[in-house]
Amino acid sequence: QKEVEQNSGPLSVPEGAIASLNCTYSDRGSQSFFWYRQYSGKSPELIMSIYSNGDKEDGRFTAQLNKASQYVSLLIRDSQPSDSATYLCAVNRAGGYNKLIFGAGTRLAVHP
Amino acid sequence: EPEVTQTPSHQVTQMGQEVILRCVPISNHLYFYWYRQILGQKVEFLVSFYNNEISEKSEIFDDQFSVERPDGSNFTLKIRSTKLEDSAMYFCASSWTGGGEKLFFGSGTQLSVL
């Protein structure tokens, strides 16, 4: 069983729509959850972090965490072509020194 | 805004050669990391470093790899005898704490082993 799973995509949405990205993880002891954006050939850039169940909003981005279902999601409202990138879900294991376990990423394409 | 800097941006080497990848973490950070990403694959943890010693390492980080903080600003990853499969983008990262806080990634070094 993969530790962090994401749909590889591509997820194609029109400009202005809501993009919904999902991630599941296998380690029930995971404590910290992150969404990174990665443009081709570039380094991961942190978009959101979430640590407790529920929703966390930051501008156009909302992260949702459900530890019982071992599920993390990212909503991007009013999607822009510049949001087109690969979105990486990362999970920090309990007790790990920021040993992030990354998913393979979901490629998002926002078309005008 | 402070950032993690990595040099060189590209490194080409022959199989069996030693390479050193260099990083300057954010100045007040205490925890340092190396991750790598083989083309088309996921980002993988290699090693974390705190208080001048390795705090955790992955199965990938075998005896061919070593890390060092030679002075107060640099953090290096050495690969003693490179293999073809070491070709990847290597990312350095740093954080203020080690307990689930966000990581700041450098722009990466693309290593190509021929």
Side-chain angles (χ1 to χ4, degrees), chain A residues 1-72:
Chain A
Q1 181 186 12
K2 290 182 182 175
E3 294 183 87
V4 179
E5 288 203 59
Q6 298 181 251
N7 257 328
S8 60
L11 173 65
S12 182
V13 301
E15 185 174 356
I18 295 175
S20 177
L21 305 161
N22 305 313
C23 169
T24 57
Y25 60 94
S26 60
D27 185 350
R28 282 200 170 272
S30 299
Q31 294 183 332
S32 311
F33 307 87
F34 305 89
W35 283 99
Y36 285 84
R37 177 174 63 198
Q38 187 177 34
Y39 294 110
S40 181
K42 302 295 185 183
S43 60
E45 174 194 6
L46 184 69
I47 299 296
M48 293 285 291
S49 58
I50 187 166
Y51 303 95
S52 53
N53 282 329
D55 294 1
K56 179 181 177 183
E57 186 174 317
D58 184 0
R60 296 187 296 113
F61 300 97
T62 299
Q64 299 173 316
L65 174 62
N66 183 327
K67 289 186 178 180
S69 302
Q70 295 173 249
Y71 177 88
V72 196

Side-chain angles (χ1 to χ4, degrees), chain A residues 4 32 34 36 38 41-44 46 51 88 92 96-100 102-104, chain B residues 31 33 35 37 42-43 45 48 55-56 89 91 95 97-98 100-103 105-106:
Chain A
V4 179
S32 311
F34 305 89
Y36 285 84
Q38 187 177 34
K42 302 295 185 183
S43 60
L46 184 69
Y51 303 95
L88 310 177
N92 194 10
Y97 280 90
N98 277 331
K99 179 184 176 180
L100 294 183
F102 282 85
Chain B
Y31 294 79
Y33 315 86
Y35 285 77
Q37 187 175 31
K42 61 178 67 175
V43 177
F45 170 82
S48 59
S55 44
E56 193 166 1
M89 179 75 92
F91 295 111
S95 65
T97 69
E101 188 201 351
K102 61 185 180 184
L103 266 61
F105 283 87

Side-chain angles (χ1 to χ4, degrees), chain B residues 11-31:
Chain B
Q11 175 88 49
V12 181
T13 190
Q14 296 291 323
M15 190 169 55
Q17 294 297 303
E18 175 184 287
V19 294
I20 297 176
L21 309 183
R22 302 180 191 279
C23 168
V24 179
I26 294 173
S27 62
N28 62 346
H29 283 185
L30 302 177
Y31 294 79

Side-chain angles (χ1 to χ4, degrees), chain B residues 16-66:
Chain B
Q17 294 297 303
E18 175 184 287
V19 294
I20 297 176
L21 309 183
R22 302 180 191 279
C23 168
V24 179
I26 294 173
S27 62
N28 62 346
H29 283 185
L30 302 177
Y31 294 79
F32 316 113
Y33 315 86
W34 285 99
Y35 285 77
R36 80 171 187 189
Q37 187 175 31
I38 295 171
L39 185 64
Q41 298 187 24
K42 61 178 67 175
V43 177
E44 300 174 292
F45 170 82
L46 292 179
V47 65
S48 59
F49 190 87
Y50 170 71
N51 199 24
N52 280 322
E53 61 182 24
I54 291 173
S55 44
E56 193 166 1
K57 60 183 180 179
S58 72
E59 313 76 50
I60 302 168
F61 194 89
D62 61 21
D63 292 344
Q64 292 300 311
F65 291 87
S66 62

